[in-house]
C-alpha cells in the first residue's frame, strides 16, 4: 500500500526522557522498509531550534538519526528569540513539503505550546498596535513588570521578568481589550481539534521516568554538557531564551560563581523532574481530547521503539 497524503500525521509526545525521538526514527525506518515511504521527523522542541545547543537539548546525533531526515532543528543562533508563531509556520511548511514529495511527516517533541498550536491553532489576539507597543517597550522595566503583575497575575507567573517581548504583548492585549491575555488564551481551550493528526502519547511510571532523567543528566555531563555551556557562555552566544534552557541555566549559574558544580547538576535533575511532572499534567488534558486521527498510548517501560512504531503504523494505515 503506497503512502496516502490524506493519512493522519503522527504527533509523538511524552515527558522528557521518555524515548520519543527513538520512536520517531523507528517509525520512519519502518515506513521506508515496509512501504517504501520516506519518513520525515519534524521536531517540536523550543530549544532544539538553536544551533550549538546540542547535548543539553538531547538533540539526536547524526548516528541516532539513522539517516532519517530531521527538520525544525538548528534553525537560529542562540542569541535570537524564537516564537511559537515561527515554529508553527515552519512546521506547516515542512509538513506540506514532505507530503508534496509523497513522504510521511511526523511531529516529535515535548514543547507543549508548539503541539497545542499545531493541533488546535493559534490564539488570535488583537492586531499589534505599533504606538502602544513602542510606549510599553520604552517603560521602566520595573514599572512594566509591576503593571503586568497587577493586571494579569497568571501571565506574570509564567512570563520571565526579563522576557520583554511577551510582557509587552500581554500588556498590549490587556490595554486593547480590557481582558487579561491569560483569560483570552484559556478560551482557546475547547475549540477545534485538528483532524489530520494521530496523537501518540509515550507514558512511563513516575519513578521509572525519574531514574531515566537522572541517568540522562549524568550521561549529558559525561558527554560534555559543561564544556558545551562554557563555550557558548564565554562566546556570549546564550541569549535570553537559550540561557533559560534546562541544563544551561543551572550550569551558567555555576560558571557565574553562584553555585558549585555538584549543586548545579543536582538542580538540573530536580528541575527536569519537575518539568516532566508538568508535561504529564498537560498530556492528560491533551489526551482527553485527541485529534481526529485518534490516540495511541505507548507504555514506554514495556514497549520498545520498534514495537511502538508498529502500533503507530497500524493506526496510520488502518
Amino acid at each position: 500500500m503506497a503512502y496516502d497524503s490524506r493519512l493522519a500525521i503522527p504527533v509523538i509526545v511524552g515527558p522528557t526522557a521518555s524515548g520519543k525521538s527513538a520512536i520517531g526514527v523507528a517509525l520512519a525506518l519502518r515506513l521506508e522498509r515496509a512501504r517504501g515511504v520516506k519518513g520525515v521527523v519534524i521536531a517540536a522542541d523550543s530549544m532544539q531550534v538553536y544551533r550549538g545547543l546540542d547535548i543539553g537539548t538531547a538533540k539526536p546525533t547524526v548516528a541516532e538519526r539513522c539517516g532519517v531526515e530531521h527538520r525544525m532543528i538548528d534553525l537560529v543562533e542562540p542569541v535570537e528569540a524564537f516564537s511559537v508563531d515561527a515554529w508553527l509556520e515552519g512546521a506547516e511548511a515542512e509538513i506540506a513539503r514532505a507530503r508534496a514529495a509523497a513522504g510521511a511527516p511526523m511531529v516529535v517533541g515535548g514543547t507543549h505550546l508548539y503541539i497545542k498550536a499545531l493541533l488546535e491553532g493559534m490564539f488570535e489576539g488583537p492586531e499589534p498596535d505599533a504606538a502602544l507597543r513602542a510606549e510599553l517597550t520604552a517603560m521602566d522595566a520595573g514599572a512594566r513588570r509591576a503593571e503586568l503583575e497587577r493586571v494579569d497575575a497568571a501571565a506574570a507567573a509564567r512570563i520571565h521578568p526579563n522576557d520583554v517581548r511577551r510582557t509587552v504583548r500581554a500588556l498590549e492585549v490587556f490595554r486593547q481589550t480590557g481582558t487579561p491575555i491569560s483569560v483570552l488564551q484559556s478560551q482557546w481551550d475547547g475549540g477545534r481539534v485538528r483532524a489530520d493528526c494521530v496523537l501518540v502519547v509515550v507514558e512511563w511510571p513516575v519513578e521509572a521516568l525519574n531514574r531515566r532523567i537522572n541517568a540522562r543528566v549524568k550521561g549529558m555531563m559525561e558527554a560534555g554538557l559543561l564544556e558545551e555551556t562554557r563555550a557558548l557562555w564565554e562566546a556570549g552566544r546564550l541569549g535570553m531564551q537559550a540561557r533559560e534552557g534546562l541544563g544551561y541555566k543551572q550550569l551558567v549559574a555555576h560558571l557565574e560563581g553562584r553555585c558549585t558544580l555538584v549543586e548545579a547538576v543536582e538542580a538540573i535533575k530536580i528541575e527536569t523532574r519537575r518539568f516532566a511532572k508538568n508535561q504529564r499534567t498537560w498530556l492528560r488534558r491533551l489526551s482527553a481530547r485527541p485529534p481526529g486521527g485518534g490516540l495511541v498510548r505507548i507504555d514506554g517501560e514495556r514497549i520498545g521503539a520498534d514495537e511502538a512504531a508498529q502500533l503507530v503504523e497500524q493506526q496510520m494505515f488502518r
Side-chain angles (χ1 to χ4, degrees), residues 201-215:
V201 181
V202 186
E203 301 173 319
W204 279 81
V206 174
E207 289 305 316
L209 184 65
N210 285 346
R211 288 193 295 271
R212 283 174 64 88
I213 288 171
N214 291 342

Side-chain angles (χ1 to χ4, degrees), residues 156-170:
R158 70 169 186 269
I159 297 175
H160 192 277
N162 294 332
D163 192 336
V164 177
R165 182 183 60 82
R166 293 178 67 203
T167 300
V168 166
R169 179 55 178 164

Side-chain angles (χ1 to χ4, degrees), residues 2-285:
Y3 178 71
D4 185 337
S5 64
R6 295 170 297 180
L7 294 175
I9 302 164
V11 179
I12 304 173
V13 297
T16 188
S18 61
K20 302 182 293 294
S21 295
I23 293 173
V25 168
L27 177 58
L29 293 174
R30 181 178 184 85
L31 291 175
E32 186 161 12
R33 181 176 62 250
R35 301 180 183 272
V37 176
K38 180 182 178 182
V40 177
V41 171
I42 299 170
D45 189 296
S46 63
M47 290 292 120
Q48 289 185 359
V49 301
Y50 289 117
R51 291 188 283 269
L53 271 67
D54 301 326
I55 299 171
T57 64
K59 192 179 295 176
T61 64
V62 172
E64 290 168 340
R65 296 177 203 180
C66 299
V68 174
E69 190 167 356
H70 282 60
R71 299 176 183 166
M72 298 306 291
I73 62 174
D74 295 329
L75 300 179
V76 296
E77 285 298 307
V79 292
E80 301 176 54
F82 193 82
S83 69
V84 60
D85 309 67
W87 180 85
L88 184 60
E89 181 180 355
E92 293 285 15
E94 294 294 0
I95 287 171
R97 175 183 168 191
R99 282 176 159 174
M106 57 198 71
V107 178
V108 181
T111 296
H112 306 167
L113 192 57
Y114 288 5
I115 299 298
K116 185 174 175 65
L118 178 74
L119 296 180
E120 301 181 11
M122 287 292 296
F123 157 70
E124 295 183 7
E127 288 296 315
D129 182 317
L132 177 57
R133 184 165 291 186
E135 175 191 339
L136 292 167
T137 302
M139 282 180 68
D140 172 76
R144 186 171 55 226
R145 178 68 182 184
E147 180 175 344
L148 179 63
E149 292 173 346
R150 177 173 55 82
V151 303
D152 193 346
R158 70 169 186 269
I159 297 175
H160 192 277
N162 294 332
D163 192 336
V164 177
R165 182 183 60 82
R166 293 178 67 203
T167 300
V168 166
R169 179 55 178 164
L171 290 175
E172 179 186 37
V173 168
F174 179 79
R175 289 198 187 183
Q176 287 179 295
T177 67
T179 302
I181 194 172
S182 59
V183 172
L184 294 172
Q185 288 173 332
S186 70
Q187 294 170 358
W188 179 19
D189 294 320
R192 62 98 173 172
V193 178
R194 188 167 180 157
D196 64 345
C197 294
V198 54
L199 185 66
V200 182
V201 181
V202 186
E203 301 173 319
W204 279 81
V206 174
E207 289 305 316
L209 184 65
N210 285 346
R211 288 193 295 271
R212 283 174 64 88
I213 288 171
N214 291 342
R216 170 183 271 193
V217 173
K218 182 175 183 291
M220 285 178 171
M221 294 302 299
E222 292 172 348
L225 179 56
L226 177 60
E227 291 72 24
E228 178 176 279
T229 305
R230 180 184 285 113
L232 291 164
W233 177 68
E234 290 181 345
R237 293 183 62 208
L238 286 175
M240 186 183 301
Q241 287 182 217
R243 70 183 288 129
E244 288 297 311
L246 277 170
Y248 300 99
K249 178 179 180 178
Q250 291 78 18
L251 289 176
V252 166
H254 163 63
L255 293 171
E256 292 179 346
R258 290 183 278 123
C259 65
T260 67
L261 180 57
V262 171
E263 290 170 338
V265 172
E266 187 60 25
I268 296 172
K269 294 177 182 178
I270 292 170
E271 289 304 315
T272 305
R273 293 195 298 265
R274 183 174 295 138
F275 178 56
K277 180 180 179 181
N278 292 338
Q279 286 177 309
R280 288 192 294 270
T281 299
W282 173 79
L283 287 169
R284 284 194 292 271
R285 295 175 187 152

